[in-house]
Amino acid sequence: GAVVSQHPSWVICKSGTSVKIECRSLDFQATTMFWYRQFPKQSLMLMATSNEGSKATYEQGVEKDKFLINHASLTLSTLTVTSAHPEDSSFYICSARKGEPYGYTFGSGTRLTVV
Amino acid sequence: GEDVEQSLFLSVREGDSSVINCTYTDSSSTYLYWYKQEPGAGLQLLTYIFSNMDMKQDQRLTVLLNKKDKHLSLRIADTQTGDSAIYFCAELRGNNRLAFGKGNQVVVIP
């Protein structure tokens, strides 16, 4: 199979602090991982493409200094929300692609609440 | 995701069939996917279809693809209460990125 593990499942943090979310491919190597954001009752919005060993590619309108992405190994990408504010509260989901026919496998998501 | 169209809500009685429709935009998309999302969870890949296929059946799931109209559908036979979820179609575009539909919430009534 193709399993992606995301941690933590949920986190509550104070405004102004930073939060790190991890995304791991458990049974395959992923040179590319993707980070999405999902608002309630809405679809997934691609934030950035995480590339192993190089800089992430951010979608238009996504602040790269606020959402720091590190893809230091073939099985781990991290998303750090820096200086979090209540408007950053959302559901963040990562995904990786093992290759056909598996398509894109998604993590279980992280619910971030900034208070 | 805003270019992939989906209807928003469907209620269905347990045991009946459900059909969810999706219209995608990129005729060069190679793969089209159906994902299921339960509350508070990530996306689970249900099935996919390659763009040169018209139909794919996988147990209770049947995917139909009309490339001419860029229309994708998912039929769930004998719908169960565990099928209650949000279903997203997605297309794999030429830049290897997934574009999602808005999602379709399916509610199964016992």
Side-chain angles (χ1 to χ4, degrees), chain A residues 25-113:
Chain A
S25 55
L26 296 186
D27 53 356
F28 66 102
Q29 294 182 330
T31 55
T32 305
M33 292 185 176
F34 303 87
W35 287 97
Y36 295 84
R37 183 173 181 177
Q38 186 180 31
F39 291 103
K41 298 190 186 302
Q42 293 191 24
S43 188
L44 280 71
M45 180 191 79
L46 179 64
M47 298 175 64
T49 303
S50 173
N51 305 298
E52 188 268 335
S54 64
K55 290 183 180 180
T57 305
Y58 290 83
E59 295 300 300
Q60 193 171 9
V62 177
E63 299 175 61
K64 58 183 69 176
D65 293 332
K66 166 166 274 298
F67 299 101
L68 299 179
I69 291 172
N70 184 286
H71 195 152
S73 78
L74 287 170
T75 58
L76 174 64
S77 174
T78 61
L79 168 68
T80 301
V81 183
T82 62
S83 186
H85 288 97
E87 57 266 29
D88 299 323
S89 298
S90 192
F91 193 58
Y92 294 87
I93 309 176
C94 69
S95 80
R97 187 182 184 196
K98 182 175 182 178
E100 301 314 324
Y102 298 101
Y104 290 77
T105 303
F106 287 78
S108 54
T110 298
R111 171 73 59 193
L112 170 63
T113 303

Side-chain angles (χ1 to χ4, degrees), chain B:
Chain B
E2 59 273 8
D3 292 334
V4 184
E5 297 289 332
Q6 279 186 261
S7 51
L8 298 179
F9 181 83
L10 174 69
S11 67
V12 61
R13 292 201 177 276
E14 190 175 13
D16 289 350
S17 294
S18 314
V19 179
I20 308 166
N21 296 298
C22 168
T23 302
Y24 61 99
T25 59
D26 189 347
S27 57
S28 66
S29 292
T30 51
Y31 285 91
L32 296 123
Y33 302 91
W34 282 102
Y35 286 91
K36 175 184 180 183
Q37 185 179 35
E38 298 185 25
L43 271 67
Q44 172 195 352
L45 176 64
L46 285 180
T47 188
Y48 66 95
I49 188 167
F50 189 53
S51 58
N52 69 353
M53 299 169 67
D54 298 323
M55 186 183 87
K56 179 179 179 181
Q57 186 156 0
D58 184 1
Q59 298 182 332
R60 292 190 297 121
L61 305 177
T62 303
V63 179
L64 295 178
L65 175 60
N66 181 330
K67 280 198 72 174
K68 175 177 169 290
D69 296 335
K70 294 201 275 290
H71 184 261
L72 183 73
S73 70
L74 174 69
R75 178 177 181 270
I76 305 172
D78 187 25
T79 311
Q80 305 296 307
T81 54
D83 295 327
S84 292
I86 299 177
Y87 292 82
F88 291 96
C89 65
E91 56 176 327
L92 182 62
R93 293 184 172 169
N95 57 6
N96 273 333
R97 291 179 181 179
L98 279 181
F100 287 89
K102 291 183 171 63
N104 187 309
Q105 182 167 8
V106 174
V107 174
V108 182
I109 304 165

